Amino acid sequence: SKTAEAAAAARAYHAGYQPPLVFDDPLARAFLRGFWRLVLATPLRYIVFEKGMKDLKSVGGQVLARSRFAEDRLALAIDRGVRQYVIIGAGYDSYCLRQPHGESALRIFEIDHPATQREKRRRLQAAGSGPLPENLEFVPVYFEREQLSDGFTRSGFSGGSPAFFSWLGTTPYLTNRATLASLSMIVEQAAPGSEIVFDFLGPERLLRADSHRQVYRTLKAFTERRGEPLIGEFEPGDLAAELEAMGLEMLEQLDHEAQDGLYFQVRGDHLCAMPGSYLVHARVRRTD
């Protein structure tokens, strides 16, 4: 995925050149090749990220905010005793290499297309990262013809124990029906008390500022030119009702203003969350 590599580039640029850090991913650079590696290694980085990508700067902020949000909530779940972490559409996520709680804290399952996983292995090997952690399991799923449940069935995932799921940067590329079906499948596979963090886009008409609507339109044009159009968006209230109906309890739903308040207040570089973006933290309803 071109967007997965662009997200890794945004994390790498931020880790090296945008203090204070919202999300520190010093290993993101290991996944970059070709254009992005050249950009990060030369003064081109300023031209590309601060000039060329100026109109999409908040999209980079969204990459950082959603990763920080997910890993902050994961840390709290680990403190509560959760020992399974499922990363859906993992792409070039580097948590499996960073593991701030240590390898004994979690069993990590990365669910993604097998071609993406093969490329991830190749890039890690080329970067000299050493053997993959023993607590990591790649779960290949051919999304074109399989369901998430097929991957769970083939893996060592335990549906009898609570798990933490992250599903980031994906739902805008799916139809709403596909997103809701996947969330429902997670509820079916996960033990009560399991948690999930995911992000979504709201409708453009909810944005009040012209500048915010322009960012939204620029991003849509950018992804469509790269063959990965944005086709999914939810009314925040409607989504909350859908989650409740399928057995998910909404714990948090943060719009871009709430994200700015959490992560981007003390800055002088105009980095912020993307207008129209939302972060969700939900829990599989307990039956007791």
Side-chain angles (χ1 to χ4, degrees):
S1 170
K2 296 175 183 177
T3 53
E5 190 166 25
R11 296 195 301 271
Y13 178 71
H14 180 69
Y17 307 103
Q18 285 184 314
L21 297 185
V22 174
F23 181 72
D24 188 7
D25 187 356
L27 301 177
R29 187 186 290 248
F31 296 107
L32 303 180
R33 293 290 178 272
F35 171 78
W36 289 117
R37 180 170 283 274
L38 172 67
V39 165
L40 266 293
T42 68
L44 280 172
R45 57 182 173 265
Y46 179 81
I47 297 172
V48 170
F49 284 96
E50 302 295 339
K51 298 296 184 181
M53 302 287 288
K54 179 179 65 176
D55 294 337
L56 292 175
K57 192 166 188 174
S58 63
V59 179
Q62 175 62 13
V63 170
L64 304 171
R66 72 195 186 202
S67 297
R68 171 71 180 274
F69 183 72
E71 293 194 16
D72 281 354
R73 273 48 184 181
L74 170 63
L76 295 174
I78 292 172
D79 290 343
R80 291 192 292 271
V82 170
R83 293 295 178 263
Q84 298 186 104
Y85 181 29
V86 182
I87 311 174
I88 302 171
Y92 298 131
D93 187 286
S94 70
Y95 183 87
C96 66
L97 302 178
R98 292 181 283 113
Q99 298 203 49
H101 295 83
E103 290 187 25
S104 62
L106 283 175
R107 181 70 181 167
I108 301 171
F109 303 90
E110 290 199 4
I111 299 179
D112 214 330
H113 194 283
T116 301
Q117 293 180 334
R118 286 193 297 271
E119 181 63 20
K120 184 171 188 174
R121 288 177 183 271
R122 280 196 293 268
R123 295 191 182 198
L124 287 174
Q125 184 177 21
S129 64
L132 293 174
E134 292 185 0
N135 64 330
L136 170 65
E137 181 177 347
F138 281 117
V139 183
V141 174
Y142 288 92
F143 294 109
E144 305 93 328
R145 59 177 186 265
E146 293 185 302
Q147 303 294 330
L148 278 176
S149 56
D150 297 319
F152 287 123
T153 300
R154 292 193 297 265
S155 74
F157 176 78
S158 172
S161 301
F164 188 94
F165 298 80
S166 70
W167 189 23
L168 305 177
T170 302
T171 66
Y173 300 97
L174 304 176
T175 65
N176 288 1
R177 177 179 294 181
T179 294
L180 294 173
S182 294
L183 289 170
S184 181
M185 198 169 298
I186 290 170
V187 173
E188 293 173 4
Q189 297 290 323
S194 296
E195 300 172 41
I196 182 169
V197 164
F198 67 96
D199 59 334
F200 72 93
L201 290 180
E204 180 187 331
R205 60 178 176 74
L206 296 181
L207 299 174
R208 295 185 293 272
D210 289 341
S211 59
H212 290 173
R213 289 191 289 273
Q214 185 56 48
V215 170
Y216 197 97
R217 293 167 189 163
T218 300
L219 176 62
K220 282 197 166 184
F222 179 86
T223 59
E224 188 161 355
R225 286 196 302 270
R226 282 153 182 79
E228 299 178 354
L230 303 178
I231 59 176
E233 57 185 36
F234 287 95
E235 293 276 354
D238 291 347
L239 178 61
E242 293 277 7
L243 297 186
E244 177 68 24
M246 70 176 63
L248 279 170
E249 174 189 4
M250 179 80 77
L251 301 177
E252 300 172 273
Q253 181 173 269
L254 307 183
D255 63 12
H256 72 276
E257 292 176 339
Q259 295 171 53
D260 283 341
L262 277 177
Y263 304 128
F264 300 101
Q265 277 192 319
V266 187
R267 305 197 66 87
D269 58 3
H270 306 292
L271 188 64
C272 61
M274 182 191 157
S277 67
Y278 292 80
L279 299 174
V280 172
H281 178 205
R283 180 170 58 207
V284 179
R285 191 179 300 117
R286 295 185 175 93
T287 56
D288 54 346

